[in-house]
Amino acid sequence: MQTVSKIWMDGELVDWDKAQVHVLTHALHYGTAVLEGIRVYSTDQGRVVFRLTDHIKRLADSSKLIALDLKYSVDELVEATKTLLRETGLEEGYVRPLVYRGFGEMGVNPLNNPTQVLIACWPWGAYHSPEAAEKGIRVCVSSWERINDNSLPPASKTTANYMNSALAKIDSLRAGFEDAIMLNNQGFVTEATAMNLFSVKDGVITTPPLSSGALRGLRRDAAIKVARDLGYDVKEENLRRTDLYLSDELFATGTAAEVTPIRSVDDRVIGPRGPITAQIQGTMSDVVRGRVDKYKDWAEYV
Ligand SMILES: Cc1ncc(COP(=O)(O)O)c(C=O)c1O
């Protein structure tokens, strides 16, 4: 991975190589942390962080859901992120805030361990292969069931949740796919390991509802709005795996993956990037860079 000069840790800008935690940090042992993933883009108007405030608000929500007492306000963490981006000079890439239970006591009870915050950033290009944005990716449906609200809350971007995603991802890669889609305990489609899903059938776009166990993705929300602006009927409804197989087009959204077409599911071919996917992908590329008037407020300048 490409590195930058500093990492923000509890109010201090620490040298990248010296940004360390104790080996008995609670989050390292018990998954007691929440994270965000945010993208920064270089534009003619300066650096744009897409929906920075919304991402930090979701970080605060994620913290609340797992009883992490966040000591910083949303505004303070927005400012801290901008300070870090100014200090490192990162032009384009990814920002990773993490709120975690630090060093104190050992044992499952996290309540006596301090809540700490770090914000890191680094250059990060395509999440899948460079050609994925056009050719699409091959995915499978995982045998790992998606976590649910009665086990680990999918609405919180808790690091522990990512073991569920990692299990599905590992198996998909070992089986020769590029990513995996997970079903919930009722058998309905939820999302991919770090992306929300959209199926296009007969011109109608459908994405699984949040109640399926899908994360409230900020790109998902943006893609729904953008697609409706473009005149498409967008439904939030349950999908079965067979609906995926029979889609005319299928795509995924996420901060890391942006808009990624899916060209096959379990080797049922859907095809390379379709026209509706291409249109939404193109518009989203402008939206995230602050080039669409209606969504200028989402573009937060460093
Ligand atoms: C499990 C999961 N679903 C969906 C997403 C997409 O969310 P967003 O569009 O906010 O990046 C992510 C992003 O990291 C994720 O981890």
Side-chain angles (χ1 to χ4, degrees):
M1 98 184 266
Q2 279 181 268
T3 63
V4 296
S5 56
K6 301 279 182 187
I7 291 180
W8 188 96
M9 292 181 83
D10 292 306
E12 309 271 320
L13 287 164
V14 180
D15 287 348
W16 178 281
D17 291 334
K18 300 207 171 97
Q20 289 161 354
V21 294
H22 195 276
V23 290
L24 296 185
T25 293
H26 198 274
L28 193 58
H29 295 253
Y30 301 108
T32 44
V34 297
L35 59 86
E36 266 305 320
I38 309 169
R39 266 200 194 265
V40 55
Y41 300 92
S42 169
T43 77
D44 294 344
Q45 268 67 50
R47 282 177 287 167
V48 167
V49 189
F50 181 64
R51 302 187 75 168
L52 172 58
T53 303
D54 287 337
H55 276 287
I56 301 294
K57 282 183 179 163
R58 191 172 62 182
L59 184 74
D61 287 349
S62 292
S63 303
K64 183 175 177 181
L65 288 173
I66 69 154
L68 272 174
D69 185 15
L70 187 56
K71 298 277 188 291
Y72 297 92
S73 68
V74 168
D75 287 349
E76 284 170 332
L77 292 179
V78 165
E79 260 328 294
T81 303
K82 290 183 181 176
T83 302
L84 176 74
L85 289 170
R86 284 185 205 117
E87 174 69 26
T88 58
L90 179 71
E91 279 295 319
E92 284 228 337
Y94 192 79
V95 179
R96 162 58 51 79
L98 186 83
V99 184
Y100 61 103
R101 289 281 182 183
F103 170 67
E105 291 179 6
M106 286 310 271
V108 170
N109 173 21
L111 298 173
N112 297 322
N113 290 56
T115 298
Q116 295 181 250
V117 184
L118 65 83
I119 308 172
C121 68
W122 62 87
W124 200 4
Y127 182 67
H128 294 101
S129 63
E131 58 281 1
E134 203 179 321
K135 284 172 114 180
I137 55 170
R138 291 176 60 241
V139 306
C140 60
V141 173
S142 183
S143 61
W144 294 100
E145 188 177 284
R146 183 69 178 136
I147 49 167
N148 68 71
D149 275 294
N150 298 323
S151 56
L152 286 164
S156 175
K157 274 180 78 77
T158 302
T159 56
N161 292 357
Y162 284 87
M163 195 62 237
N164 182 234
S165 290
L167 288 168
K169 183 85 181 184
I170 290 166
D171 287 357
S172 69
L173 295 175
R174 286 184 172 165
F177 297 98
E178 284 152 281
D179 217 309
I181 288 172
M182 284 176 286
L183 308 179
N184 63 23
N185 56 8
Q186 295 178 297
F188 291 116
V189 173
T190 61
E191 56 185 346
T193 58
M195 305 183 290
N196 292 111
L197 293 170
F198 290 82
S199 156
V200 182
K201 183 76 181 169
D202 298 328
V204 176
I205 302 173
T206 306
T207 189
L210 299 184
S211 58
S212 71
L215 182 76
R216 184 171 57 83
L218 293 169
R219 304 284 172 131
R220 172 187 184 276
D221 171 69
I224 290 172
K225 292 186 169 119
V226 161
R228 286 188 178 142
D229 291 345
L230 291 169
Y232 295 106
D233 183 7
V234 184
K235 293 185 165 37
E236 293 181 65
E237 278 177 9
N238 278 322
L239 291 166
R240 299 160 297 182
R241 75 195 284 169
T242 46
D243 295 322
L244 303 179
Y245 295 169
L246 297 178
S247 296
D248 298 333
E249 299 180 32
L250 200 58
F251 63 92
T253 62
T255 296
E258 315 235 23
V259 177
T260 298
I262 294 173
R263 72 168 193 274
S264 69
V265 181
D266 295 336
D267 286 326
R268 272 67 165 187
V269 175
I270 290 147
R273 181 177 64 187
I276 296 176
T277 304
Q279 195 184 12
I280 293 170
Q281 191 185 47
T283 311
M284 286 281 283
S285 168
D286 287 335
V287 167
V288 298
R289 290 170 178 79
R291 294 186 194 131
V292 176
D293 277 345
K294 187 168 178 192
Y295 298 112
K296 273 206 174 329
D297 290 351
W298 284 344
E300 297 182 47
Y301 290 89
V302 176

Short mmCIF file of all heavy atoms in Angstrom, two decimals, residues 55 58 146 157 162 191 193-196 215 217-220 253-255, ligand 1:
data_model
loop_
_atom_site.label_atom_id
_atom_site.label_comp_id
_atom_site.label_asym_id
_atom_site.label_seq_id
_atom_site.Cartn_x
_atom_site.Cartn_y
_atom_site.Cartn_z
N HIS A 55 -20.76 10.77 6.10
CA HIS A 55 -19.96 9.62 6.54
C HIS A 55 -19.67 9.72 8.04
O HIS A 55 -19.75 8.72 8.76
CB HIS A 55 -18.65 9.55 5.76
CG HIS A 55 -18.75 8.85 4.44
ND1 HIS A 55 -18.90 7.49 4.30
CD2 HIS A 55 -18.73 9.34 3.17
CE1 HIS A 55 -18.95 7.16 3.02
NE2 HIS A 55 -18.87 8.28 2.30
N ARG A 58 -22.64 8.86 10.01
CA ARG A 58 -22.87 7.41 10.08
C ARG A 58 -21.88 6.76 11.06
O ARG A 58 -22.23 5.80 11.75
CB ARG A 58 -22.74 6.78 8.68
CG ARG A 58 -23.21 5.33 8.63
CD ARG A 58 -23.26 4.76 7.23
NE ARG A 58 -21.94 4.73 6.61
CZ ARG A 58 -21.70 4.31 5.37
NH1 ARG A 58 -22.70 3.89 4.61
NH2 ARG A 58 -20.48 4.32 4.88
N ARG A 146 -25.65 -13.72 5.65
CA ARG A 146 -25.38 -12.36 6.12
C ARG A 146 -25.81 -12.24 7.59
O ARG A 146 -26.84 -12.80 7.97
CB ARG A 146 -26.14 -11.35 5.25
CG ARG A 146 -25.88 -9.88 5.60
CD ARG A 146 -24.47 -9.47 5.23
NE ARG A 146 -24.19 -8.06 5.50
CZ ARG A 146 -23.06 -7.62 6.08
NH1 ARG A 146 -22.11 -8.47 6.45
NH2 ARG A 146 -22.88 -6.35 6.24
N LYS A 157 -21.34 0.01 11.03
CA LYS A 157 -20.12 -0.44 10.33
C LYS A 157 -19.10 -0.87 11.39
O LYS A 157 -18.08 -0.21 11.60
CB LYS A 157 -19.57 0.67 9.43
CG LYS A 157 -20.21 0.67 8.04
CD LYS A 157 -19.66 1.77 7.16
CE LYS A 157 -18.30 1.47 6.56
NZ LYS A 157 -18.32 0.54 5.42
N TYR A 162 -17.18 -7.35 9.67
CA TYR A 162 -16.40 -7.60 8.46
C TYR A 162 -15.80 -9.00 8.43
O TYR A 162 -15.29 -9.43 7.41
CB TYR A 162 -15.37 -6.49 8.23
CG TYR A 162 -16.12 -5.28 7.70
CD1 TYR A 162 -16.70 -4.37 8.57
CD2 TYR A 162 -16.36 -5.14 6.34
CE1 TYR A 162 -17.47 -3.33 8.09
CE2 TYR A 162 -17.12 -4.10 5.86
CZ TYR A 162 -17.68 -3.20 6.74
OH TYR A 162 -18.46 -2.17 6.26
N GLU A 191 -26.45 -7.94 0.17
CA GLU A 191 -25.45 -7.08 -0.47
C GLU A 191 -24.22 -7.92 -0.78
O GLU A 191 -24.17 -9.10 -0.44
CB GLU A 191 -25.09 -5.91 0.45
CG GLU A 191 -24.61 -6.32 1.83
CD GLU A 191 -24.38 -5.15 2.78
OE1 GLU A 191 -24.34 -3.99 2.34
OE2 GLU A 191 -24.21 -5.42 3.98
N THR A 193 -19.82 -8.10 -0.35
CA THR A 193 -19.02 -8.04 0.88
C THR A 193 -18.74 -6.61 1.34
O THR A 193 -18.55 -6.39 2.53
CB THR A 193 -17.69 -8.81 0.71
OG1 THR A 193 -16.98 -8.25 -0.40
CG2 THR A 193 -17.95 -10.29 0.45
N ALA A 194 -18.74 -5.65 0.44
CA ALA A 194 -18.58 -4.24 0.82
C ALA A 194 -19.26 -3.33 -0.21
O ALA A 194 -18.78 -2.23 -0.49
CB ALA A 194 -17.11 -3.88 0.97
N MET A 195 -20.38 -3.80 -0.77
CA MET A 195 -21.07 -3.04 -1.82
C MET A 195 -22.55 -3.34 -1.75
O MET A 195 -22.95 -4.48 -1.48
CB MET A 195 -20.59 -3.47 -3.22
CG MET A 195 -19.11 -3.38 -3.46
SD MET A 195 -18.66 -3.83 -5.16
CE MET A 195 -18.99 -5.58 -5.19
N ASN A 196 -23.36 -2.34 -2.04
CA ASN A 196 -24.81 -2.54 -2.21
C ASN A 196 -25.09 -2.97 -3.64
O ASN A 196 -24.28 -2.74 -4.54
CB ASN A 196 -25.56 -1.25 -1.88
CG ASN A 196 -25.47 -0.88 -0.42
OD1 ASN A 196 -24.84 0.11 -0.04
ND2 ASN A 196 -26.11 -1.65 0.42
N LEU A 215 -26.30 -2.61 4.25
CA LEU A 215 -25.84 -1.37 4.88
C LEU A 215 -26.50 -0.16 4.19
O LEU A 215 -26.75 -0.19 2.99
CB LEU A 215 -24.31 -1.25 4.73
CG LEU A 215 -23.70 -0.01 5.39
CD1 LEU A 215 -23.63 -0.16 6.91
CD2 LEU A 215 -22.31 0.28 4.84
N GLY A 217 -25.79 2.31 2.55
CA GLY A 217 -24.66 2.85 1.80
C GLY A 217 -24.95 4.25 1.31
O GLY A 217 -26.04 4.53 0.82
N LEU A 218 -23.96 5.11 1.42
CA LEU A 218 -24.16 6.49 0.95
C LEU A 218 -24.16 6.54 -0.58
O LEU A 218 -24.83 7.38 -1.18
CB LEU A 218 -23.11 7.41 1.57
CG LEU A 218 -23.30 7.54 3.09
CD1 LEU A 218 -22.12 8.23 3.74
CD2 LEU A 218 -24.58 8.28 3.41
N ARG A 219 -23.42 5.64 -1.21
CA ARG A 219 -23.48 5.56 -2.68
C ARG A 219 -24.80 4.93 -3.12
O ARG A 219 -25.32 5.25 -4.18
CB ARG A 219 -22.32 4.73 -3.24
CG ARG A 219 -20.95 5.21 -2.82
CD ARG A 219 -20.53 6.44 -3.57
NE ARG A 219 -19.31 6.97 -3.02
CZ ARG A 219 -18.24 7.33 -3.72
NH1 ARG A 219 -18.23 7.21 -5.02
NH2 ARG A 219 -17.19 7.85 -3.12
N ARG A 220 -25.31 4.02 -2.31
CA ARG A 220 -26.63 3.43 -2.60
C ARG A 220 -27.66 4.53 -2.62
O ARG A 220 -28.44 4.67 -3.58
CB ARG A 220 -26.97 2.40 -1.52
CG ARG A 220 -28.39 1.84 -1.55
CD ARG A 220 -28.61 0.97 -0.30
NE ARG A 220 -29.92 0.32 -0.30
CZ ARG A 220 -31.05 0.90 0.11
NH1 ARG A 220 -31.03 2.16 0.56
NH2 ARG A 220 -32.17 0.24 0.09
N THR A 253 -22.67 -0.75 -5.76
CA THR A 253 -22.15 0.58 -5.41
C THR A 253 -21.43 0.51 -4.07
O THR A 253 -21.80 -0.26 -3.19
CB THR A 253 -23.29 1.61 -5.28
OG1 THR A 253 -24.17 1.21 -4.22
CG2 THR A 253 -24.07 1.78 -6.56
N GLY A 254 -20.45 1.37 -3.92
CA GLY A 254 -19.73 1.47 -2.66
C GLY A 254 -18.64 2.52 -2.79
O GLY A 254 -18.22 2.83 -3.91
N THR A 255 -18.21 3.03 -1.67
CA THR A 255 -17.18 4.07 -1.70
C THR A 255 -15.90 3.55 -2.32
O THR A 255 -15.29 4.21 -3.17
CB THR A 255 -16.93 4.57 -0.27
OG1 THR A 255 -18.12 5.18 0.19
CG2 THR A 255 -15.78 5.57 -0.22
C1 LIG B 1 -20.97 -4.10 3.94
C2 LIG B 1 -21.01 -2.88 3.08
N1 LIG B 1 -22.08 -2.63 2.32
C3 LIG B 1 -22.18 -1.54 1.55
C4 LIG B 1 -21.15 -0.62 1.48
C5 LIG B 1 -21.30 0.61 0.63
O1 LIG B 1 -21.47 1.73 1.46
P1 LIG B 1 -21.05 3.19 0.99
O2 LIG B 1 -21.75 3.45 -0.28
O3 LIG B 1 -21.51 4.09 2.07
O4 LIG B 1 -19.58 3.17 0.84
C6 LIG B 1 -20.00 -0.82 2.24
C7 LIG B 1 -18.91 0.14 2.18
O5 LIG B 1 -17.85 -0.02 2.70
C8 LIG B 1 -19.93 -1.97 3.07
O6 LIG B 1 -18.85 -2.22 3.81
#
